Amino acid sequence: MSIGDLQKALRPGLIAWGAGGLVLGLVLRWAGTGGAATVWTGATLPVLAMLLVEIVTTLRRGEFGLDLVAALSMTAALVFGETLAAAVVALMYAGGQALEAFAERRARSEMTALLTRVPRKAIRHRGAALEEVDLDAVRPGDRLLIRRGDVLPVDGALASDIAHLDLSALTGEPLPQRFEGGAELMSGATNAGDPFDLLARRVAAESTFAGIVRLVQQAQAVRAPMARLADRYALGFLVLTLALAGAAWGLSGDPVRAVAVLVVATPCPLILAVPVALVAGLSQAAKQGILIKSGRALEALAGISALVLDKTGTLTSGQPGLIEIREAGEVPAEELLRLAAALEQASPHTIAEMLVAEARRRHLDLPKPEAVRETAGEGVEGRIDGRAVLLGGRGFVAAQLGLAAPPKDGAGPGEVTVAVAVDGRWAGELVLADTLREGIEGLFAALRAAGIARIVLATGDRPDVAEAVVDGLGFEAVHAGLAPADKIGVVLAERKAGRVMMVGDGVNDAPALAAADVGVAMGARGAAASAEAADVVLLVDRLDRVLPALAIARRTRRIALQSVVAGIGLSVLGMLAAALGLIVPVEGALLQELIDVAVVLNALRALRG
């Protein structure tokens, strides 16, 4: 068992021992029977012994902490006969650790809430009946019943006409969202409407929510947020404390004044305020769908001045979308899409899935295709409502129709065309492209208003494709045709001017994410290398979550600094009053406890949005 674990186990007993000894000593003094000093000494020594063990342990690790001031105050109080003050300090110190533990639990509330929502069972259709199965038994293709209030156990497609989902636990959005048949649904959402059927796409271990849970568990295990970051100021504060205590003793000739200074100086505001504020900030971020893995990442995020973005899957959706239907005959645009999507129901290709989803979004009737024949990598043909339909690459369709050459291709950079023939005639083309995420222009304006001075693109796509996609967005620089190692070079070059945040989503982004001051991964599906390498994971596939991440980090840092400055400022005033003989040791101990409570409550403000 480690020292930290031993402290946690003994903490309730130390608090009870200290409180009982303090009260018993007060009773003995009030009764005038004597022995109060002995009781107070006995109440102090166990806490002091545990504190000394912790100090020795940290010194062996090469660390110098502010706990040394607390140990000095208790020791000095015992040496100079201020046993009541020593007992009060011991109780307040043990209570301060309990306060820190309470604040940590309160601050981690949103992160813990994510873990408690993990479903264990699923309701699966089996013929005409339903069966409850363990989550591990669910396989892709299984049809699941999602009842009102159920958490979606796996990623899947909506197999009913409509669903209303509460995404607040993942995105922070308070209002339920409406989804229509065929829509891809993310595990971890809650059914806020009528029961519906879900067609499983992944096993539970590979679904989005399972990835989120793993990342949260990793973040919970990291000790950086609760590390006493203010220990970096320990030496300076110790020198100031000893100087004031020595001056008070030397000028007055009264060692009790030095004891009072040490008691007031017990630096709980520094010890408690920073970690409590940091963990509160981490929890508030989790509520907004942002998992920040450590306090170090939160601190770094607060000082970001440059942003490097990947393109595919980050700046864009990462999936082809239908941007235009070009008619070339008598078949109207909507009918062209309907016939193509109906035929594509028989194909597992990504473009096929997109066309089917787009047709369903437009509420087009998709009959079952007949006589389907697919040529791998080329195209597919079949019959829809008795009509012969052929679609695929332009060259493939032209060859099947016996044309010497396909009609002129008007596709732009990054666009893909799917040619469609109906009843043996060239009927038109469906133009697809990976489009910008919705609201990118407004997001960029908000980022610049938030203090991001440089926004840079780093992509592996061809330069002409990259330039066409980002035209008009106002990037400071566009780097295209990059290998993963080249993206690292872009990040390092930007770091010369300030702290850099890199946002990406693919395996090829992982090295650059690790090289940045703050690496941000889009989404948390499965165990993607980008999510593992990143400091921050956006739990939902939305780039706009970067804005609240920056705001929360900066507000958290501001609150932490406010707590430290106010707490230490009040402590220094109390030390001066003690040095002048205006405060006795017991009053100093009580004053310090009031300061502790005030700074912790202020630090917990970081929980509020």
Side-chain angles (χ1 to χ4, degrees), residues 31-341:
T33 58
T38 302
V39 171
W40 287 330
T41 299
T44 304
L45 289 176
V47 178
L48 179 58
M50 183 60 68
L51 181 55
L52 290 174
V53 170
E54 181 179 350
I55 290 171
V56 171
T57 302
T58 56
L59 288 175
R60 284 179 175 175
R61 294 199 303 262
E63 301 173 4
F64 183 84
L66 285 165
D67 290 333
L68 186 58
V69 179
L72 283 174
S73 66
M74 280 185 262
T75 302
L78 291 176
V79 168
F80 293 104
E82 293 291 331
T83 52
L84 174 56
V88 171
V89 171
L91 177 60
M92 297 309 180
Y93 187 82
Q97 291 184 316
L99 179 63
E100 180 181 10
F102 163 77
E104 178 183 0
R105 289 193 301 272
R106 176 70 182 90
R108 289 188 183 273
S109 56
E110 296 299 334
M111 297 177 74
T112 304
L114 282 172
L115 299 180
T116 61
R117 299 180 69 255
V118 178
R120 307 295 180 190
K121 301 282 186 179
I123 306 297
R124 183 170 62 186
H125 288 272
R126 185 173 184 178
L130 294 172
E131 60 178 354
E132 185 177 62
V133 297
D134 291 334
L135 207 55
D136 292 340
V138 176
R139 293 291 177 265
D142 285 351
R143 193 180 183 95
L144 307 178
L145 174 65
I146 309 299
R147 302 165 297 187
R148 179 186 289 270
D150 282 353
V151 175
L152 272 64
V154 296
D155 296 339
L158 177 58
S160 300
D161 292 335
I162 194 170
H164 291 87
L165 297 183
D166 178 2
L167 304 176
S168 59
L170 301 175
T171 67
E173 296 179 1
L175 299 178
Q177 305 294 307
R178 174 190 171 101
F179 296 87
E180 297 185 354
E184 293 293 327
L185 305 183
M186 183 172 64
S187 55
T190 302
N191 182 13
D194 294 331
F196 62 84
D197 285 347
L198 179 75
L199 191 63
R201 296 289 201 202
R202 297 179 179 85
V203 297
E206 297 175 359
S207 290
T208 300
F209 196 53
I212 291 173
V213 168
R214 283 194 293 272
L215 292 169
V216 170
Q217 289 171 335
Q218 291 169 12
Q220 293 275 44
V222 173
R223 294 303 300 163
M226 289 309 296
R228 294 178 174 183
L229 302 179
D231 283 351
R232 68 186 69 163
Y233 307 115
L235 185 58
F237 189 81
L238 177 61
V239 170
L240 174 63
T241 300
L242 293 178
L244 275 175
W249 188 356
L251 294 175
S252 68
D254 184 3
V256 174
R257 290 195 183 187
V259 173
V261 171
L262 291 172
V263 167
V264 176
T266 303
C268 287
L270 272 175
I271 293 173
L272 298 178
V274 173
V276 167
L278 286 177
V279 176
L282 299 183
S283 193
Q284 175 62 18
K287 186 177 181 181
Q288 299 291 327
I290 306 153
L291 178 60
I292 302 175
K293 294 184 179 179
S294 70
R296 184 208 66 79
L298 187 70
E299 281 194 300
L301 192 59
I304 293 298
S305 60
L307 172 62
V308 177
L309 290 174
D310 173 47
K311 184 183 79 68
T312 305
T314 302
L315 188 65
T316 65
S317 62
Q319 297 291 333
L322 182 64
I323 63 172
E324 185 182 0
I325 302 176
R326 296 174 182 161
E327 306 167 51
E330 299 178 355
V331 181
E334 289 284 291
E335 179 67 4
L336 195 67
L337 173 61
R338 186 185 78 87
L339 293 173

